Amino acid sequence: MNLTVNGESRGFDGAPNVAALVEALGLDVRKVAVERNLEIVPRSAYAATNLSDGDRIEIVHFIGGG
Amino acid sequence: MDGSVHTEDTWTVAGRTFRSRLIVGTGKYKDYAENAAAAEAAGAEIVTVALRRVNLSDPNQPMLVDYVKPDRFTFLPNTAGCYTGEDAVRLLRLAREAGGWDLVKLEVLSNTKHLLPDMEETLRALKLLVADGFQVMVYCSDDPVYAKKLEDAGAVAIMPLGAPIGSGRGIQNLLNLGLIVEQSTVPVLVDAGVGTASDAAVAMEIGCDAVLMNTAIAEARDPIRMARAMKHAVIAGREAFLAGRMPKRMYADPSSPLTGLI
């Protein structure tokens, strides 16, 4: 399955949900927020949110800013 | 003790009360450790933060929240880099999910050269955010007319620039800023343009509720020392405002009696 994650095209085995995707990318689920096809995915819904081929995913976190 | 009266001097925004009147940014520092030390030295209780894509190629790189901790500081997510209301709403919805905070800093900029706010778009974005349940502190131009429109639209704080972001030129239009302070019933903060301690003191002396700065501390030769200087400047300016300055006179007025001279 192919996803676009933060603008990069990436292939994944099987059909992961959001929780599995975040874990596969080595990210701490408590420190990021996820958007799927321009819709916020609440943290409580990561495991229940299945991804589909071609989904556009944004994963963001807080960085320094003014 | 020393005979003077000390009452706790706090300010409140969107129902949250703070003692420190200095908000600091978290950008441009050498590293997050220096950033955290500067925020501590400034005595800040609120820090601004940005929201950006995680680095997928290096998920183990240092993260802001490991140094500047959300349980120590109130995070104020910003919309830096947004040029439309829709961009700002999208970003802040993610920020709300990432941190659970609804207190946010809206800035909608016009172009990358001067980074001055696009006020028409800022006002439109504010209305979208208020309708979505956000508590919005608004970065704006030093225009009292637009400042009033922002307040009427539900801004919880008005944050006019002193000068362009990162310019360090100090407060360019004290007259306008004074009008904004006078007319506003929500907190007014100078956001952007502070270059050194006296700029922060001036903002507080004219009655601003707080000052927000980033570059003035981060780009000082010794950021920690400058953070401390800013802390003192904000306190000094606030105290001077509360004390009530003497009137300005055209001519001298001797401090020692002119009578009884030998």
Side-chain angles (χ1 to χ4, degrees):
Chain A
M1 182 170 80
N2 278 304
L3 302 172
T4 302
V5 184
N6 288 0
E8 294 176 23
S9 183
R10 293 195 164 219
F12 292 89
D13 294 332
N17 58 38
V18 170
L21 173 67
V22 172
E23 193 185 328
L25 292 169
L27 299 168
D28 184 338
V29 71
R30 294 165 303 170
K31 296 176 183 171
V32 299
V34 178
E35 188 191 72
R36 177 194 179 212
N37 300 330
L38 301 177
E39 294 284 334
I40 297 281
V41 183
R43 195 168 287 148
S44 57
Y46 284 2
T49 304
N50 292 315
L51 297 170
S52 305
D53 195 48
D55 276 356
R56 284 170 300 134
I57 308 296
E58 293 288 340
I59 306 177
V60 298
H61 67 149
F62 288 117
I63 66 158
Chain B
M1 308 229 277
D2 61 358
S4 60
V5 178
H6 294 280
T7 52
E8 189 166 48
D9 178 39
T10 61
W11 67 289
T12 300
V13 60
R16 299 161 171 85
T17 298
F18 300 95
R19 283 189 305 277
S20 170
R21 293 174 181 270
L22 175 53
I23 298 176
V24 297
T26 56
K28 299 182 177 175
Y29 286 93
K30 184 181 67 182
D31 52 39
Y32 284 142
E34 181 182 70
N35 191 335
E40 286 290 349
E45 294 173 308
I46 305 175
V47 296
T48 59
V49 295
L51 197 72
R52 292 292 183 270
R53 287 172 165 170
V54 296
N55 183 347
L56 295 176
S57 58
D58 182 12
N60 295 316
Q61 69 178 328
M63 291 179 100
L64 173 72
V65 293
D66 296 329
Y67 293 85
V68 182
K69 295 182 185 297
D71 57 359
R72 163 70 182 81
F73 299 97
T74 296
F75 274 29
L76 185 63
N78 70 24
T79 60
C82 290
Y83 292 87
T84 70
E86 282 72 17
D87 287 349
V89 170
R90 183 183 174 202
L91 196 69
L92 290 179
R93 281 183 176 155
L94 277 164
R96 182 162 59 185
E97 183 57 31
W101 303 289
D102 59 3
L103 185 65
V104 296
K105 168 182 164 176
L106 174 65
E107 56 180 289
V108 181
L109 307 180
S110 53
N111 74 46
T112 53
K113 184 177 179 185
H114 52 57
L115 298 178
L116 291 172
D118 176 338
M119 289 312 303
E120 185 180 4
E121 196 63 20
T122 298
L123 180 59
R124 200 173 71 80
L126 170 64
K127 290 173 179 171
L128 294 173
L129 289 165
V130 168
D132 207 21
F134 286 98
Q135 309 273 358
V136 191
M137 302 172 73
V138 188
Y139 172 64
C140 57
S141 60
D142 55 5
D143 173 0
V145 179
Y146 252 116
K148 186 71 172 67
K149 290 183 183 187
L150 296 173
E151 184 174 347
D152 291 345
V156 298
I158 305 294
M159 304 205 290
L161 53 82
I165 294 168
S167 69
R169 289 186 160 264
I171 296 167
Q172 295 295 301
N173 195 332
L174 269 178
L175 179 66
N176 275 14
L177 204 56
L179 288 170
I180 293 172
V181 167
E182 184 184 65
Q183 76 182 11
S184 300
T185 61
V186 294
V188 175
L189 294 80
V190 164
D191 177 358
V194 166
T196 189
S198 52
D199 299 331
V202 165
M204 297 307 297
E205 284 172 12
I206 66 161
C208 287
D209 294 278
V211 180
L212 197 166
M213 66 182 74
N214 190 148
T215 312
I217 296 174
E219 287 190 359
R221 193 175 61 241
D222 181 344
I224 311 303
R225 193 163 202 152
M226 186 58 87
R228 210 157 52 231
M230 292 298 185
K231 174 184 175 176
H232 292 307
V234 166
I235 292 170
R238 175 67 182 169
E239 288 286 294
F241 170 73
L242 292 175
R245 62 153 297 145
M246 62 163 281
K248 292 181 182 177
R249 298 188 179 93
M250 183 68 79
Y251 301 107
D253 184 39
S255 296
S256 306
L258 294 177
T259 55
L261 276 172
I262 57 167

Short mmCIF file of all heavy atoms in Angstrom, two decimals, chain A residues 21-48:
data_model
loop_
_atom_site.label_atom_id
_atom_site.label_comp_id
_atom_site.label_asym_id
_atom_site.label_seq_id
_atom_site.Cartn_x
_atom_site.Cartn_y
_atom_site.Cartn_z
N LEU A 21 1.12 2.89 11.87
CA LEU A 21 1.96 3.75 11.02
C LEU A 21 2.91 4.59 11.88
O LEU A 21 4.11 4.66 11.62
CB LEU A 21 1.07 4.66 10.17
CG LEU A 21 1.83 5.74 9.37
CD1 LEU A 21 2.69 5.09 8.28
CD2 LEU A 21 0.86 6.74 8.76
N VAL A 22 2.37 5.22 12.92
CA VAL A 22 3.19 6.08 13.78
C VAL A 22 4.30 5.25 14.43
O VAL A 22 5.46 5.68 14.50
CB VAL A 22 2.31 6.78 14.84
CG1 VAL A 22 3.16 7.51 15.87
CG2 VAL A 22 1.35 7.77 14.17
N GLU A 23 3.94 4.05 14.86
CA GLU A 23 4.93 3.19 15.49
C GLU A 23 5.99 2.74 14.48
O GLU A 23 7.18 2.75 14.77
CB GLU A 23 4.23 1.97 16.10
CG GLU A 23 5.14 1.18 17.03
CD GLU A 23 4.47 -0.09 17.54
OE1 GLU A 23 3.25 -0.09 17.72
OE2 GLU A 23 5.20 -1.08 17.73
N ALA A 24 5.55 2.38 13.27
CA ALA A 24 6.48 1.93 12.23
C ALA A 24 7.48 3.03 11.86
O ALA A 24 8.61 2.75 11.47
CB ALA A 24 5.70 1.47 10.99
N LEU A 25 7.06 4.27 12.01
CA LEU A 25 7.94 5.40 11.68
C LEU A 25 8.87 5.75 12.84
O LEU A 25 9.70 6.65 12.74
CB LEU A 25 7.10 6.62 11.28
CG LEU A 25 6.34 6.49 9.95
CD1 LEU A 25 5.34 7.64 9.80
CD2 LEU A 25 7.30 6.45 8.77
N GLY A 26 8.70 5.05 13.97
CA GLY A 26 9.58 5.27 15.12
C GLY A 26 9.24 6.52 15.91
O GLY A 26 10.10 7.09 16.59
N LEU A 27 7.99 6.96 15.84
CA LEU A 27 7.59 8.21 16.51
C LEU A 27 6.85 7.91 17.81
O LEU A 27 6.17 6.89 17.93
CB LEU A 27 6.71 9.04 15.58
CG LEU A 27 7.38 9.46 14.27
CD1 LEU A 27 6.34 10.00 13.30
CD2 LEU A 27 8.46 10.49 14.53
N ASP A 28 6.99 8.85 18.76
CA ASP A 28 6.29 8.74 20.04
C ASP A 28 4.87 9.28 19.85
O ASP A 28 4.68 10.48 19.58
CB ASP A 28 7.05 9.56 21.10
CG ASP A 28 6.44 9.41 22.49
OD1 ASP A 28 5.24 9.04 22.59
OD2 ASP A 28 7.15 9.65 23.47
N VAL A 29 3.92 8.42 20.03
CA VAL A 29 2.52 8.78 19.75
C VAL A 29 2.05 9.95 20.60
O VAL A 29 1.18 10.72 20.19
CB VAL A 29 1.63 7.53 19.95
CG1 VAL A 29 1.51 7.17 21.42
CG2 VAL A 29 0.25 7.74 19.35
N ARG A 30 2.67 10.13 21.77
CA ARG A 30 2.24 11.21 22.67
C ARG A 30 2.72 12.59 22.22
O ARG A 30 2.31 13.61 22.75
CB ARG A 30 2.77 10.95 24.09
CG ARG A 30 2.17 9.71 24.75
CD ARG A 30 2.99 9.31 25.95
NE ARG A 30 4.39 9.09 25.57
CZ ARG A 30 5.39 8.91 26.43
NH1 ARG A 30 5.15 8.96 27.71
NH2 ARG A 30 6.61 8.70 25.99
N LYS A 31 3.67 12.60 21.27
CA LYS A 31 4.30 13.88 20.91
C LYS A 31 3.97 14.35 19.50
O LYS A 31 4.57 15.30 19.01
CB LYS A 31 5.83 13.75 21.04
CG LYS A 31 6.29 13.49 22.47
CD LYS A 31 7.78 13.26 22.54
CE LYS A 31 8.21 12.92 23.96
NZ LYS A 31 9.61 12.49 24.01
N VAL A 32 3.03 13.69 18.86
CA VAL A 32 2.70 14.08 17.49
C VAL A 32 1.19 14.25 17.33
O VAL A 32 0.41 13.84 18.19
CB VAL A 32 3.19 13.03 16.46
CG1 VAL A 32 4.71 12.88 16.53
CG2 VAL A 32 2.50 11.69 16.66
N ALA A 33 0.82 14.90 16.24
CA ALA A 33 -0.59 14.96 15.83
C ALA A 33 -0.65 14.50 14.38
O ALA A 33 0.30 14.68 13.62
CB ALA A 33 -1.14 16.37 15.98
N VAL A 34 -1.77 13.89 14.02
CA VAL A 34 -1.89 13.27 12.70
C VAL A 34 -3.12 13.80 11.97
O VAL A 34 -4.21 13.93 12.55
CB VAL A 34 -2.00 11.72 12.83
CG1 VAL A 34 -2.17 11.08 11.45
CG2 VAL A 34 -0.77 11.16 13.54
N GLU A 35 -2.89 14.08 10.69
CA GLU A 35 -3.98 14.49 9.82
C GLU A 35 -4.05 13.50 8.66
O GLU A 35 -3.02 13.14 8.10
CB GLU A 35 -3.68 15.90 9.30
CG GLU A 35 -4.78 16.57 8.54
CD GLU A 35 -4.27 17.84 7.86
OE1 GLU A 35 -3.51 17.72 6.87
OE2 GLU A 35 -4.62 18.93 8.29
N ARG A 36 -5.26 13.04 8.35
CA ARG A 36 -5.44 12.10 7.23
C ARG A 36 -6.37 12.74 6.21
O ARG A 36 -7.52 13.05 6.54
CB ARG A 36 -6.04 10.80 7.75
CG ARG A 36 -6.33 9.79 6.66
CD ARG A 36 -7.22 8.67 7.20
NE ARG A 36 -7.51 7.72 6.15
CZ ARG A 36 -8.64 7.04 6.07
NH1 ARG A 36 -9.57 7.19 7.00
NH2 ARG A 36 -8.84 6.20 5.09
N ASN A 37 -5.86 12.94 5.02
CA ASN A 37 -6.66 13.57 3.95
C ASN A 37 -7.35 14.84 4.45
O ASN A 37 -8.55 15.03 4.28
CB ASN A 37 -7.68 12.58 3.39
CG ASN A 37 -7.00 11.36 2.79
OD1 ASN A 37 -5.89 11.45 2.29
ND2 ASN A 37 -7.68 10.21 2.87
N LEU A 38 -6.55 15.68 5.12
CA LEU A 38 -6.98 17.00 5.62
C LEU A 38 -7.92 16.94 6.83
O LEU A 38 -8.41 17.97 7.29
CB LEU A 38 -7.63 17.84 4.51
CG LEU A 38 -6.76 18.14 3.29
CD1 LEU A 38 -7.55 18.93 2.24
CD2 LEU A 38 -5.51 18.93 3.69
N GLU A 39 -8.16 15.73 7.36
CA GLU A 39 -9.00 15.61 8.56
C GLU A 39 -8.14 15.20 9.74
O GLU A 39 -7.34 14.27 9.65
CB GLU A 39 -10.08 14.52 8.36
CG GLU A 39 -11.12 14.84 7.30
CD GLU A 39 -12.15 15.86 7.77
OE1 GLU A 39 -12.37 15.94 8.99
OE2 GLU A 39 -12.70 16.57 6.91
N ILE A 40 -8.34 15.88 10.90
CA ILE A 40 -7.62 15.50 12.12
C ILE A 40 -8.01 14.08 12.53
O ILE A 40 -9.19 13.72 12.48
CB ILE A 40 -8.01 16.44 13.28
CG1 ILE A 40 -7.60 17.88 12.98
CG2 ILE A 40 -7.45 15.96 14.60
CD1 ILE A 40 -6.16 18.16 13.21
N VAL A 41 -7.02 13.30 12.92
CA VAL A 41 -7.32 11.99 13.52
C VAL A 41 -7.10 12.13 15.02
O VAL A 41 -5.96 12.32 15.47
CB VAL A 41 -6.42 10.87 12.97
CG1 VAL A 41 -6.81 9.53 13.57
CG2 VAL A 41 -6.46 10.83 11.45
N PRO A 42 -8.15 12.08 15.83
CA PRO A 42 -7.94 12.18 17.28
C PRO A 42 -7.04 11.04 17.78
O PRO A 42 -7.12 9.93 17.26
CB PRO A 42 -9.35 12.06 17.86
CG PRO A 42 -10.28 12.34 16.73
CD PRO A 42 -9.56 11.90 15.49
N ARG A 43 -6.22 11.35 18.77
CA ARG A 43 -5.28 10.34 19.27
C ARG A 43 -6.01 9.07 19.71
O ARG A 43 -5.54 7.97 19.50
CB ARG A 43 -4.47 10.95 20.41
CG ARG A 43 -3.23 10.18 20.78
CD ARG A 43 -2.35 11.00 21.70
NE ARG A 43 -1.67 12.07 20.98
CZ ARG A 43 -1.36 13.25 21.51
NH1 ARG A 43 -1.64 13.51 22.76
NH2 ARG A 43 -0.75 14.17 20.80
N SER A 44 -7.18 9.27 20.29
CA SER A 44 -7.95 8.12 20.78
C SER A 44 -8.45 7.23 19.64
O SER A 44 -8.86 6.09 19.88
CB SER A 44 -9.14 8.62 21.59
OG SER A 44 -9.94 9.48 20.79
N ALA A 45 -8.39 7.74 18.42
CA ALA A 45 -8.92 6.97 17.29
C ALA A 45 -7.83 6.38 16.40
O ALA A 45 -8.13 5.81 15.35
CB ALA A 45 -9.84 7.87 16.45
N TYR A 46 -6.56 6.47 16.83
CA TYR A 46 -5.46 6.00 15.96
C TYR A 46 -5.63 4.52 15.59
O TYR A 46 -5.49 4.14 14.44
CB TYR A 46 -4.10 6.18 16.66
CG TYR A 46 -3.58 7.60 16.67
CD1 TYR A 46 -4.32 8.65 16.13
CD2 TYR A 46 -2.33 7.89 17.22
CE1 TYR A 46 -3.84 9.96 16.15
CE2 TYR A 46 -1.85 9.19 17.24
CZ TYR A 46 -2.60 10.21 16.71
OH TYR A 46 -2.11 11.49 16.74
N ALA A 47 -5.91 3.70 16.61
CA ALA A 47 -5.96 2.25 16.36
C ALA A 47 -7.18 1.88 15.51
O ALA A 47 -7.16 0.88 14.79
CB ALA A 47 -5.98 1.49 17.68
N ALA A 48 -8.21 2.69 15.61
CA ALA A 48 -9.45 2.36 14.90
C ALA A 48 -9.51 2.99 13.51
O ALA A 48 -10.47 2.77 12.77
CB ALA A 48 -10.65 2.83 15.72
#
